[in-house]
């Protein structure tokens, strides 16, 4: 009747990597596309800032050209002198430098620079938020894998208790102090415990496989336990956390910066109503020679231009662009306000879950102690014939459920704590 429940060979043979939480977070940030994409966005935003600053600098160019042309006259012999006459050729050489700088662009350059800086701020906040989102996902999966291991131990203890009770029932049946129904009921309870253990082991394998994918490892990744996980932080100042989340949350910071960028883009679009003034200059050297000789004389030509341009009417393209930018600004500002509300709302819920988990940990620990004592009493009563097998098995189930509740309460607390840290952008 008794049997062991090893993992299937194909699963047990898989490579398993054991990682701590800090190692898992570091590896996940290195390989997760969300963080890599955010890093690329930050680099792009930095390049946009450089380009926006470059608009204040002059544009400089250089050019040169060397060419030879041949007249299409075939070679022939002069009938008078008898000397050969060849076709003519002409060589030209030109070189030049040019530079231009915008003196006034209708405040467009300043608006573009403000937009670039705001975009960079949004990308920076987005990178922080992406890292914390990856940390949150990895932390939750890490705790899921660790919780599955803890639940496996609980189920293994439940199987051992069921096996022990089955042995007692069989012994009492042999002694004539119990019925066959007692041993059959104990056997059913053992089978149920074994099925629960099989399901828990399968859940453990699934959780460890998901953790391995998050950290970029092959096979399975087991979570290293740490006593620091079960340290409950002291009472938190909910009002201070709400204020901090509303102003410093990475999600809020990113949304605020995006609204600033949209505002600067609108100012850039409105700059099209202003004229532009630019200063340009060039210097060129040109020379030519005939009959294939070298170019020896270069003539210099200089030029300075002050150009004023003003688009008085461009078929409503400016108005269309401004309307589009105004819509983008309205959306960005609404998103900023809604993101702040969303963060504070989520934080309120997670703080409530955190407090509930703290109370649940205390209650479930007490329930385990009470269930252990109740099982001891019921077993003793069953031994002397006062209690029935149903009383014992019910006490066993109550103890198993209490132990499961302890595990769930501990990891509910850790998950709520991780959610709060992701919202405020720092560790508690």
């Amino acid at each position: 009747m008794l049997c062991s429940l090893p993992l299937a060979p194909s699963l047990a043979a898989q490579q398993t990597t054991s990682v701590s939480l800090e190692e898992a977070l570091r590896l996940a940030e290195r390989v997760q596309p969300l963080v890599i994409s955010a890093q690329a966005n930050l680099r792009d935003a930095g390049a946009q800032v450089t380009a926006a600053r470059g608009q204040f600098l002059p544009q400089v160019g250089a050019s040169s050209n060397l060419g030879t042309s041949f007249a299409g006259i075939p070679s022939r012999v002069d009938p008078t002198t008898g000397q050969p006459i060849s076709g003519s050729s002409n060589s030209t050489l030109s070189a030049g430098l040019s530079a231009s700088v915008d003196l006034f662009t209708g405040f467009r350059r300043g608006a573009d620079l403000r937009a670039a800086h705001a975009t960079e701020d949004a990308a920076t906040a987005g990178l922080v938020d992406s890292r914390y989102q990856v940390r949150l996902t990895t932390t939750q999966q890490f705790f899921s894998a660790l919780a599955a291991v803890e639940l496996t131990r609980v189920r293994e203890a439940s199987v051992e208790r069921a096996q022990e009770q089955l042995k007692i029932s069989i012994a009492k049946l042999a002694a004539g102090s119990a019925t066959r129904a007692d041993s059959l009921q104990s056997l059913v309870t053992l089978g149920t415990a074994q099925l629960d253990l099989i399901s828990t082991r399968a859940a453990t394998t699934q959780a460890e496989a998901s953790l391995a994918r998050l950290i970029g490892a092959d096979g399975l990744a087991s979570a290293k336990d740490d006593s620091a996980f079960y340290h409950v932080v002291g009472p938190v100042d909910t009002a201070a956390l709400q204020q901090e989340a509303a102003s410093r949350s990475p999600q809020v910071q990113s949304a605020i910066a995006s609204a600033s960028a949209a505002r600067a883009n609108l100012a850039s679009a409105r700059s099209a109503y202003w004229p532009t003034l630019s200063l340009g200059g060039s210097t060129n050297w040109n020379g030519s020679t005939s009959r294939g000789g070298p170019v020896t004389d270069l003539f210099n030509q200089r030029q300075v231009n002050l150009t004023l341009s003003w688009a008085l009417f461009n078929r409503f393209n400016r108005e269309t662009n401004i309307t589009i930018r105004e819509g983008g600004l309205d959306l960005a500002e609404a998103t900023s306000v809604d993101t702040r509300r969303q963060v504070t709302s989520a934080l309120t819920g997670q703080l409530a879950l955190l407090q509930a988990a703290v109370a649940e940990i205390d209650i479930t620990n007490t329930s385990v102690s009470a269930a252990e004592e109740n099982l001891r009493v019921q077993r003793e009563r069953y031994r002397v014939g006062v209690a029935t097998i149903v009383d014992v098995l019910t006490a066993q189930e109550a103890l198993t459920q209490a132990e499961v509740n302890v595990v769930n309460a501990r990891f509910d607390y850790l998950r709520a704590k991780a959610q709060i840290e992701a919202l405020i952008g720092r560790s508690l």
Side-chain angles (χ1 to χ4, degrees), residues 107 115 203 308 400:
F107 311 105
L308 175 68
T400 300

Side-chain angles (χ1 to χ4, degrees), residues 395-418:
Q396 284 183 356
E397 284 297 321
L399 176 57
T400 300
Q401 188 58 50
E403 292 173 337
V404 170
N405 292 340
V406 166
V407 174
N408 290 335
R410 287 175 177 174
F411 288 96
D412 285 345
Y413 171 81
L414 292 174
R415 293 187 184 97
K417 181 170 174 284

